[in-house]
């Protein structure tokens, strides 16, 4: 077992609170976290909601999609359309920004976010 | 060939030209290459150095691919400058102590920034602009500078000034010794035009200023000039010219020019026939060439000679085109030729900041050269006209004015001769490009770069290469495709037809049928717009494929709040409705402003308040204004014959009718209209996508005008028509546009790209040359009949209302980060 960090799974919202192939924002312990739901491939991702470009709480309102042959999941900020990988949090528009990403777990109709302590 | 089978070539300097030399010699084969570079990294694209400030990394600028040197078996010694040449024993000694024997030695040491010998140049805060390291230092220092200056108003100086502006230095000055900017490229009238444009962008220019000293304790505090004036600055970038790096050659006893530069003959040999010099360190025909293209040509000449050829360097055209702080500047051929050696034609538009000058041979047959400031779109074709000695058309002024009526004979790219040099960095001819298109299917810029290397150097030829690709394709009857993005291998028009034909109703279906992956922020809104144009189902049904503005039915503003824009057709509003707007704005603490389209915007709404705000507005009889959508915005009107003493007809009623007819219809881009009651044109209808002006006998209809960043007047489509005909033509015109335009292109751009232009459009709309008129009118009527207000649908549907929250797990809580400042008694968004 991994003993260096433990992950606390926190209840974030219900599955239906997040629109199909879209995103929504939750407030967890004072943090704004964006959750993304890829209905087509049945996958979930989560990142910080803050866009590092101009410090806007906006990523949950961005369009999601995929990048490249490997279909890397991504989100585009609604403000200036900078895009970020949802796997690594890396900025795909060639800038040095980095997003915090979080693991997501679905149990029944509930969405849990993993916060490492 | 005494020691090894292959002769050894040692290259000193791993800059742009040294690198080019290695790639070419390697390709030719038969040599062992050993390369020494002083800089810590492999060669990079110095020409695009400034892009380092716009987000490109050192790796992006690098010329060789990673691993290139291993693959190519070139021995590379970075960060190890050569310090001495022993000509007698044909040895070079490096700083780290290597000694290597050469059969041929290539000096490609480039140049360094020239730093005048002023008191104080050693102070902190004084920089030059040549290497990535220089830029790193500038970037690190800039945050503490409130003001900065660039010494030198030449090409590089202005580029450095732009960099200072980009770094956010509030006060940026340019100091030039001469009486004009870019004295080597442009004339004084051109400089005047450039000066006023640059001033508007916030640069402060000081001409005729000679600097005497740099003052300050340890770091620079001010500059002192010969006229006894002073300028306080926190940093200085010196860009006062270049110095060829000839120190190594000098030390080895090679002949150098009195003003610097390693003297070479036309085969680029120095006074020692085993040693060559190329690039910016070489003095050829009495010139130092400070551009990359001639350096590349020199590299090619030496490779040719080493491999048994006999090529010579003929001298080089110093034509250049660049974008300085967003301003085009170009000079070509003989820019300064003057009467009586030539005839000069000058065009100047002070207001727009455009200056163009061409010099023509006295017999009027040939173009000799010229200067372009503010608009250099004609540069490539003009340069080709000079270089290929194309015979000029009868009205040569058309070359810079654009033709007025009728196409200019022979000005298109296809009229160039096959041997015309299109990419001078890589010596690629027109014939090579055309045959790559036809035989190797290189139909994109990227493919063309791979195939011919055209456009991989300075990149200046790319527009011309693009033109050639599409002209070649269409000359051969092939259709030029403009695919939407990586997920759909179709153009917008193709997708439109597919959606219609297969009765596809959702994005998901389209992606499954014709796309791949999960889509993206490009194809989703494109399909959203197509689906809306085809079926007019309200966009709230597929919210997540809409641009954020369409998803929340409001425009996102700085800070993440939204604006609310109710429709006010024709700009007519009752006092009762005005009062409601005021009340709602007060209740929700919104900022109010009258817009250019004659309506009232309410800014600063929390996402969670939007449904409640709209509920109150709809109650009072308002409906969505679609300010968030690529859809009809407003039809602006003047007061017309109901009040105005000049008015011919009732322009307000007509405007309201049209606005209500086309409201909500989705298009490739936003649409604006206008109706004026007489030719005085108070509604500015000719700057709209469609504009209608009353005449004695009816109405004149204009189309495809545009305000915005590239203003363009609308053109006359039909004269003296009645209202019904006007609406019929508008239906056809709009459907034609909606079906065929590229994503995000306004009607003006769409028309500009249309083969045959306005006369073709007239034929389609008025004479029904495509036979589509009846279908389009019918489709438009179906859209008009199925209109519903999107906000009404949301307000009345609890499920949809639920989407308008910031936190899905705390729906009543507003974004705590959203704060406002105060300005003139109203709220305003916080600065970012
Ligand atoms: C900001 C900027 C913008 C420019 N814009 C344009 C433009 O738009 N168009 C254009 O055509 N040109 C432009 N130029 C000029 C262009 O970059 C040069 O013409 C080109 O780089 C010259 O190539 P080079 O190989 O001769 O010299 P360089 O690229 O300077 O390379 C010389 C290399 O040799 C190294 N060297 C020197 N001495 C030694 C030694 N003893 N041992 C080992 N290595 C040594 C140097 O460190 C350097 O790395 C621009 C230049 C700058 C700085
Ligand atoms: S355009 Fe003519 S009718 Fe309309 S307000 Fe102006 S002058 Fe009056
Ligand atoms: S002109 Fe520019 S700043 Fe003004 S509203 Fe339009 S986009 Fe915004
Ligand atoms: S704020 Fe996100 S891209 Fe600019």
């Amino acid at each position: 077992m991994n003993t260096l960090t433990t992950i606390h799974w926190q209840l974030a919202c219900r599955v239906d609170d997040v629109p199909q192939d879209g995103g929504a924002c939750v407030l967890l312990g004072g943090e704004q976290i964006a959750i993304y739901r890829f209905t087509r491939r049945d996958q979930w991702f989560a990142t910080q909601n803050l866009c590092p470009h101009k410090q806007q709480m906006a990523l949950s309102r961005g369009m999601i999609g995929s990048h490249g042959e490997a279909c890397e999941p991504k989100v585009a900020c609604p403000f200036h359309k900078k895009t970020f990988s949802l796997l690594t949090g890396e900025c795909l528009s060639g800038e040095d920004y980095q997003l915090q990403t979080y693991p997501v777990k679905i149990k029944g109709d509930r969405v849990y976010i993993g916060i490492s302590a | 060939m005494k020691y090894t089978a292959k002769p050894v070539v040692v290259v000193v300097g791993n800059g742009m030209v040294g690198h080019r030399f290695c790639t070419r010699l390697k390709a030719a084969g038969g040599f062992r290459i050993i390369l020494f570079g002083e800089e810590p990294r492999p060669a990079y694209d110095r020409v695009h150095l400034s892009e380092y400030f716009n987000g490109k990394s050192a790796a992006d600028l690098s010329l060789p691919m990673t691993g290139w040197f291993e693959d190519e078996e070139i021995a590379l010694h970075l960060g190890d400058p050569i310090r001495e040449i022993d000509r007698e024993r044909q040895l070079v000694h490096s700083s780290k102590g290597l000694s290597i024997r050469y059969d041929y030695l290539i000096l490609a040491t480039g140049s360094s920034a020239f730093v005048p010998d002023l008191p104080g140049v050693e102070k902190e805060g004084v920089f030059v602009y040549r290497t990535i390291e220089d830029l790193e230092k500038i970037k690190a220092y800039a945050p503490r500078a409130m003001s900065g200056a660039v010494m030198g108003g030449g090409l590089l100086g202005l580029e450095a000034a732009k960099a200072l502006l980009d770094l956010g230095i509030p006060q940026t000055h340019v100091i030039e010794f001469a009486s004009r900017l870019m004295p080597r490229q442009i004339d004084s009238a051109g400089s005047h035009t450039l000066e006023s444009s640059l001033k508007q962008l916030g640069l402060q220019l000081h001409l005729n200023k000679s600097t005497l000293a740099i003052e300050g304790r340890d770091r620079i505090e001010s500059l002192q000039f010969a006229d006894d004036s002073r300028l306080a600055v926190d940093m200085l970038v010196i860009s006062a010219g270049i110095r060829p790096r000839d120190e190594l050659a000098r030390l080895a006893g090679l002949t150098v020019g009195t003003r610097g530069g390693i003297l070479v003959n036309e085969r680029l040999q120095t006074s020692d026939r085993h040693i060559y010099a190329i690039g910016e360190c070489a003095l050829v025909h009495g010139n130092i060439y400070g551009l990359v293209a001639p350096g590349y040509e020199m590299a090619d000449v030496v490779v040719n000679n080493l491999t048994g050829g006999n090529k010579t360097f003929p001298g080089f055209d110093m034509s250049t085109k660049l974008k300085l702080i967003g301003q085009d500047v170009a000079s070509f051929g003989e820019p300064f030729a003057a009467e009586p050696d030539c005839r000069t034609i000058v065009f100047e538009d002070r207001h727009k900041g455009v200056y163009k000058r061409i010099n023509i041979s006295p017999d009027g047959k040939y173009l000799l050269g010229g200067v372009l400031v503010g608009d250099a779109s004609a540069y490539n074709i003009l340069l080709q006209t000079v270089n290929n000695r194309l015979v000029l058309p009868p009205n040569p002024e058309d070359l810079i004015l654009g033709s007025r009526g009728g196409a200019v004979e022979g000005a298109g790219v296809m009229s160039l001769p096959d041997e015309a040099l299109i990419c001078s960095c890589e010596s690629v001819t027109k014939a090579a490009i055309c045959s790559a298109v036809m035989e190797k299917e290189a139909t994109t810029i990227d493919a063309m770069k791979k195939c011919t290397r055209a456009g991989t150097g300075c990149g200046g030829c790319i527009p011309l290469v693009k033109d050639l690709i599409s002209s070649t394709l269409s000359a051969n009857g092939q259709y030029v495709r403009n695919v939407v993005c990586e997920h759909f291998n179709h153009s917008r028009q193709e997708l439109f037809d597919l959606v219609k034909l297969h009765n596809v109703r959702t994005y998901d279906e389209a992606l499954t049928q014709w796309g791949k992956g999960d889509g993206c922020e490009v194809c989703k809104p494109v399909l959203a717009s197509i689906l809306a144009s085809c079926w007019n189902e309200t966009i709230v049904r597929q919210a997540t494929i809409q641009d954020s503005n369409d998803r929340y039915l409001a425009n996102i503003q700085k800070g993440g709040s939204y604006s609310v824009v109710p429709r006010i057709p024709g700009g007519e509003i009752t006092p009762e409705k005005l009062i409601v707007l005021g009340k709602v704005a007060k209740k929700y603490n919104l900022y109010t402003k009258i817009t250019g389209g004659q309506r009232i915007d309410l800014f600063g709404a929390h996402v969670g308040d939007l449904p409640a705000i709209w509920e109150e507005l709809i109650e009072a009889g308002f409906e969505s204004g679609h300010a968030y959508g690529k859809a009809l915005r407003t039809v602006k009107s003047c007061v017309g014959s109901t009040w105005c003493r000049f008015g011919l007809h009732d322009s307000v009623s007509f405007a309201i009718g049209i606005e209500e007819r086309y409201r909500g219809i989705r298009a490739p881009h936003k649409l604006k209209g206008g109706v004026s009651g007489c030719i005085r044109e108070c509604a500015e209808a000719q700057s709209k996508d469609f504009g209608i002006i009353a005449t004695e006998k009816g109405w004149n209809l204009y189309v495809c005008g545009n305000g915005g960043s590239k203003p363009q007047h609308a053109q006359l489509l039909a004269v003296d028509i009645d209202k019904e005909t006007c609406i019929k033509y508008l239906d056809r015109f709009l459907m034609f546009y909606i079906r065929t335009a590229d994503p995000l292109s306004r009607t003006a751009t769409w028309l500009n790209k249309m083969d045959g232009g306005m006369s073709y459009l007239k034929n389609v709309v008025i004479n029904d040359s495509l036979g589509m008129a009846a279908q389009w009118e019918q489709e438009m009527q179906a859209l008009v009949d199925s209109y519903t207000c999107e906000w009404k649908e949301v307000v009345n549907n609890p499920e949809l209302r639920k989407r308008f929250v910031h936190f899905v797990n705390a729906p009543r809580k507003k974004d705590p980060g959203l704060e406002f400042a105060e300005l003139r008694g109203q709220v305003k968004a916080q600065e970012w």
Side-chain angles (χ1 to χ4, degrees), chain B residues 12-13 15-17 38-39 46 82 109-110 130 156 280 291-292:
Chain B
V12 184
M16 297 189 76
V17 174
E38 172 189 61
E39 293 186 65
R46 206 179 302 285
I82 295 298
T109 49
R130 176 89 199 167
L156 289 183
E280 278 189 354
L291 293 174
V292 71

Side-chain angles (χ1 to χ4, degrees), chain A residues 25 41 56 61 64 66 68 81, chain B residues 518-519 524 547 559 806 808:
Chain A
C25 173
R41 47 155 116 172
Q56 301 286 306
R61 301 183 201 168
I64 59 175
S66 66
K81 296 276 161 70
Chain B
D518 298 286
K524 284 182 174 180
D547 253 321
H806 188 73
V808 287

